[in-house]
Amino acid sequence: MGKVNFTIDGKEIQAEKGVTILQAARQENIYIPILCDHPALPPEGACRICLVEIEGQRALHPACTYPISEGMAVSTNTPRIRAARKFNLELLISDHPLDCMTCEAAGNCLLQDLAYEYDVTEDRYEGTKHHYSVNDPNPFIQVDRNKCILCRRCVRACREVNGVEAISVFYRGFSAYIGFGADSSMDNSPCEFCGSCVAVCPTGALWPKLSLGEGRPWQVDRIQTTCPYCGVGCQLILEVKDNKIIKVDSAWDGPSNHGWTCVKGRFGYDFVHHPDRLDKPRVRKYLLDGKKKPAAEKRKPEIEGDPWQWVEVDWETALGITADKMLQIRDDHGSESMGFLTSAKCLNEENYLMNKLARQVIGTNSLDHCARL
Amino acid sequence: MVGLATAFGSGAMTNSIDDIADDAQAFFVIGTNTTENHPVIGMRIRQAVRQRGAKLIVADPRKIDLTNFAVLHLRHKPGTDIALVNGLMHIILANGWEDKEFIKNRTEGFDDFKAVVDEYTPERVSEITGVPLEELQQAAEILAQNKPTAVLWAMGITQHTTGVGNVMSLANLQMMLGNMGVPGGGTNPLRGQNNVQGACDLGGLPNVYPGYQKVTSPEIRSDYARAWGLSDEQLSLEVGLTATEMMPLALEGKLKAIYILGEDPLMSEPDTNHIRQAMETCDLVVLQEIFPSETAPYADVLLSGASFAEKDGTFTNTERRVQLVHKAVESPGIARPDWWIVSELAKKILKEGKRQIGEAAYSGWDYQNAAEILEEIAALTPIYAGVSMQRLENGETLQWPVKDQDHPGTPILHVGQFARGLGQFTPVEHIPPVEMPDENYPMILSTGRVLYHWHGGQMTRRSKGLLEIYPEALIEVSEDDAERMGLNGSRRVRVSSRRGTIEAQAMVTDRVPPGMVYANFHFPEASANELTIAALDPVAKIPEYKVCAVKVEAV
């Protein structure tokens, strides 16, 4: 590929032949607003916001699909361009709910940002508005077509990234809307709920149901970490408010997943806050009482006072009893009478310590985990 | 892992997800239902097929989702992987399509291996596997014509009594095709849990210290004894017990105590009844967990650990990449990170016990954080020697081996040379599964996971959306069998093996071939492991989860 010399807003630029004006501008950190483009998706040319002027051409052109050429002179911010962009934004706003104060996406919405930038303050065009019901019955994703701007980012994410084609645009013009499968609900389509569509939606049209009403983008801490499920090692951003994970966002720099996730990584985090969580150590009552372990058939843990009943204790007690019992068994039966199962779910550091516990402290190599299972 | 270690000297995924996804001209996917079990890798395979026309061959008895993207689906009978791969190699050799240069320069043992492969004529292989002759031919052609081909597998290859042989066959195939040590090629076992790679890397196995250093080596033992403040004799030169060996010994009364960190043997081990009895027989069961799991009723002590979101440290993913885990929230109540619990326990045992521990660089247990433990790991684990929290926090992305602080890590293993020097061809013969269908148990059961749940299901069954979309165990039954049994689509089935019985809803589908059912182990009320057989691969000690004989009836 050769190089092409051209200018953007008078600045001389050299870029690879074949790239679009938008791509070349981004390489030079020149801002061109756009709604439908996403760096992780192929270009679409749907939103008409990235319009630019090219010297010698009468019409404005979308920067996201127009390839650069030698000697081309591009302007990105003339009054004519600003007027055209504002007009297109006004058209979008004319069929968009003006409920930013309660909208989940407020503060994280490209349409809101552009309306602010272009001073689109009110609905200037009277006419029919859509009133879609917000009732897709799937457990993961709220679908609010009233907030959809038909940028087709979700369509491309589903088709090009996940490869399942669960989302498409049905009908055309004013009747056009995003639909699933054969124009059905999400859970009646090939959708696998990977959440890629949610990750790229620029407005509040697609939103995680688990996150509804949980917090605003500016109220959360964002912590990048590694997914706790399979071995792919996807990077995730946990959004946390008041010590609660309220949403998983894409970590676009994740080396194994590049921002994409599966349904478990994106929507399967709420086990962390499940009421079943063990919040204190427990020991069986017979251990506290210094009694003998009851035979299996005599264990009645649900009966108050039974030797097999659980008793919540502090760490000192729990670890003291555990250490005593382990030492007693080692003294009586030798270190080879003890087995350790470490965990494929726990940290490297914790697995190392289990290896050290079994080998250094107890003196056995009988240490394994569920790699085979 | 044993299989790859024999062939190459190192048992892990040889390549990286990115290079496979971007550079493989073809994929040979065998025994991995990737889109459900490693969904993001599944996504990448679909992208490769769709966006750049990579060729996908799926070899699986089940019609998994990836078959929709495959140019060829080899639907071999369960437990015939070795015969299938030998058959493909037979055709490749018969046509002279092997990479003769690679075989000559980089491998050994080819002649003995070839003698065995020569016996696997297409006719014989077709007979054993049930794969038509022309499909064997097509597959061999695709493998020969598309270089590099990446081979991917998971538990569908390893969870057999011939698991090690299965893996060796695939190593043989990739050496024969010259697909080793190049981007887009390699032998790629996909690891099923977030840190199963790290648990293996850091000594969570009965035969090796951290970094796969053999416990049977007196020199290695001396190194650890010195580092940990012990005399050599205080560390055992004997290989310890695997999880699958511990349970029978517990039942015999020889294993008295079992300490379990973040595992749920009641769900994940084969033949659940047998596990229940083993646990009941133990003098002491200590369980360190975040939930009262299915194993908890058998525990004497329950230690409340922290979830992934409540601690700092590292996981190592399937492509050997060490990645950061960051604390996002506080643990409930007084639950503590597992490293803290283990350290405090170790200190108590050392203080009160008779075992003498001297002063040494790493004899102590006073850790303030995971970073300090990682420093100790780096000092004692050659493949992690250059890994530090500081490098990771600086944004470096490190795949082991990371030989020192300046080493950038190793995205592709065996470039130019195998870890053991020359790659080892090993002749492998087909051996049928231990328990084949008979008159009383006429069908084959295969087991695994589904997209919406994970392993024993402790986490996913406590996740609102995941439970809502997949609320109960489903057993896949073929349309033919459903009709024969008189299932009308909404009926329940009873599946019995010699070891147990479960009842669950049938999912009538063409995903399984007639004569086979597929069940998962996510739900305690109908866990496949009530049925599975604890027959083990003689070397790797992995249970044969993918084949056992069952009887299936309408309820």
Side-chain angles (χ1 to χ4, degrees), chain A residues 139-140 159-165 192-194 223-235 238 240 243 245 255-258 260-264 267-268 270-272 274 276-284 286-287 293 296 299 308 310 315-316 319-320 322-327 329-331 333 337-357 359-361 363 365-373, chain B residues 18 37 39 43-44 46-47 50-51 69 155 159 191-196 198-200 202-206 208-210 228 235-236 238 240-243 256-259 261-263 268-269 280 282-283 290-292 296-297 299-302 304-305 310-312 314 316-319 323-326 329-330 332 334-335 338-339 341 343 348 352-355 362-365 367 370 376 380 451-452 454-455 459 462-465 469 540-543:
Chain A
F140 302 108
R159 187 182 61 213
E160 308 290 341
V161 175
N162 195 20
V164 299
E165 294 183 271
E192 295 168 344
F193 299 101
C194 68
I223 295 111
Q224 182 158 337
T225 194
T226 306
C227 180
Y229 286 108
C230 79
V232 177
C234 294
Q235 293 297 293
L238 304 181
V240 174
N243 202 40
I245 304 168
S256 64
N257 64 314
H258 303 284
W260 311 114
T261 68
C262 77
V263 60
K264 295 188 287 292
F267 302 119
D270 48 327
F271 73 88
V272 168
H274 194 280
D276 284 354
R277 278 294 300 275
L278 297 169
D279 59 356
K280 286 187 197 72
R282 298 175 188 179
V283 299
R284 299 291 182 184
Y286 84 91
L287 288 166
K293 183 167 179 171
R299 296 172 191 168
W308 197 244
W310 281 124
W315 280 109
E316 187 58 30
L319 294 174
T322 307
D324 287 351
K325 286 303 271 187
M326 288 172 75
L327 281 169
I329 288 169
R330 187 175 66 184
D331 288 349
H333 305 284
S337 68
M338 305 174 79
F340 291 80
L341 294 182
T342 186
S343 177
K345 290 119 185 147
C346 287
L347 301 171
N348 284 330
E349 293 75 14
E350 292 164 343
N351 278 289
Y352 170 79
L353 290 191
M354 281 294 280
N355 137 81
K356 190 173 174 182
L357 177 70
R359 293 184 163 122
Q360 184 216 29
V361 177
N365 283 320
S366 290
L367 162 72
D368 197 11
H369 67 285
C370 66
R372 299 171 183 82
L373 307 173
Chain B
D18 265 1
N37 290 320
M43 240 181 223
R44 303 289 298 275
R46 292 196 287 217
Q47 286 169 25
R50 225 164 226 282
Q51 294 178 9
F69 290 73
M155 292 307 199
Q159 283 176 343
R191 309 306 302 260
Q193 302 188 54
N194 57 334
N195 202 30
V196 66
C200 290
L202 295 168
L205 294 168
V208 285
Y209 287 105
W228 284 344
L235 288 172
S236 171
E238 300 274 314
L241 302 170
T242 63
K256 300 288 183 188
I258 184 157
Y259 189 110
L261 166 63
E263 293 273 316
S268 60
E269 299 258 344
E280 279 178 353
C282 279
D283 286 352
I290 62 170
F291 291 118
D300 297 271
V301 178
L302 203 45
S304 45
E310 295 148 16
K311 52 194 177 186
D312 291 306
T314 57
T316 302
N317 80 349
T318 187
E319 51 177 353
Q323 304 197 100
L324 289 166
V325 177
H326 282 129
V329 291
E330 297 295 332
I334 57 169
D338 297 292
W339 62 262
I341 300 171
S343 304
K348 278 199 187 308
E352 285 155 34
K354 296 181 188 132
R355 196 170 159 91
Y362 303 107
S363 57
W365 284 84
Y367 304 106
E376 183 169 328
L380 299 177
L451 174 64
Y452 297 106
W454 191 67
H455 223 64
M459 287 147 64
R462 292 185 174 90
S463 191
K464 188 170 166 280
I469 199 147
K541 318 283 186 186
I542 194 166

Side-chain angles (χ1 to χ4, degrees), chain B residues 13-199:
Chain B
M13 187 165 162
T14 58
N15 285 52
S16 302
I17 297 167
D18 265 1
D19 80 71
I20 294 169
D22 294 342
D23 300 324
Q25 295 307 301
F27 295 89
F28 184 50
V29 166
I30 179 166
T32 154
N33 179 9
T34 325
T35 53
E36 294 198 65
N37 290 320
H38 301 88
V40 170
I41 296 179
M43 240 181 223
R44 303 289 298 275
I45 296 173
R46 292 196 287 217
Q47 286 169 25
V49 170
R50 225 164 226 282
Q51 294 178 9
R52 57 180 184 83
K55 297 227 168 23
L56 171 64
I57 303 174
V58 174
D60 202 301
R62 289 201 305 150
K63 201 171 156 192
I64 55 172
D65 293 333
L66 269 183
T67 59
N68 295 326
F69 290 73
V71 287
L72 195 57
H73 176 199
L74 307 174
R75 202 167 195 183
H76 59 311
K77 293 177 191 159
T80 65
D81 303 279
I82 292 170
L84 176 69
V85 177
N86 276 350
L88 296 176
M89 292 192 289
H90 182 104
I91 299 170
I92 290 167
L93 286 175
N95 288 283
W97 292 335
E98 72 275 20
D99 187 333
K100 298 179 187 70
E101 279 295 294
F102 190 93
I103 294 168
K104 182 165 148 254
N105 297 331
R106 300 251 343 239
T107 69
E108 59 188 350
F110 182 72
D111 293 339
D112 289 347
F113 151 78
K114 183 174 180 298
V116 167
V117 169
D118 283 347
E119 304 294 317
Y120 285 80
T121 61
E123 293 71 23
R124 182 179 164 213
V125 168
S126 183
E127 172 77 30
I128 298 172
T129 62
V131 176
L133 282 174
E134 56 276 17
E135 289 184 6
L136 293 172
Q137 180 70 27
Q138 275 174 26
E141 274 176 31
I142 293 169
L143 293 173
Q145 288 165 2
N146 292 277
K147 293 227 179 162
T149 291
V151 174
L152 282 73
W153 72 85
M155 292 307 199
I157 276 296
T158 50
Q159 283 176 343
H160 291 277
T161 44
T162 57
V164 171
N166 287 351
V167 170
M168 284 178 180
S169 297
L170 294 168
N172 289 338
L173 174 71
Q174 285 297 66
M175 285 192 286
M176 169 188 282
L177 291 167
N179 283 332
M180 297 304 299
V182 291
T187 47
N188 300 290
L190 306 180
R191 309 306 302 260
Q193 302 188 54
N194 57 334
N195 202 30
V196 66
Q197 187 66 53

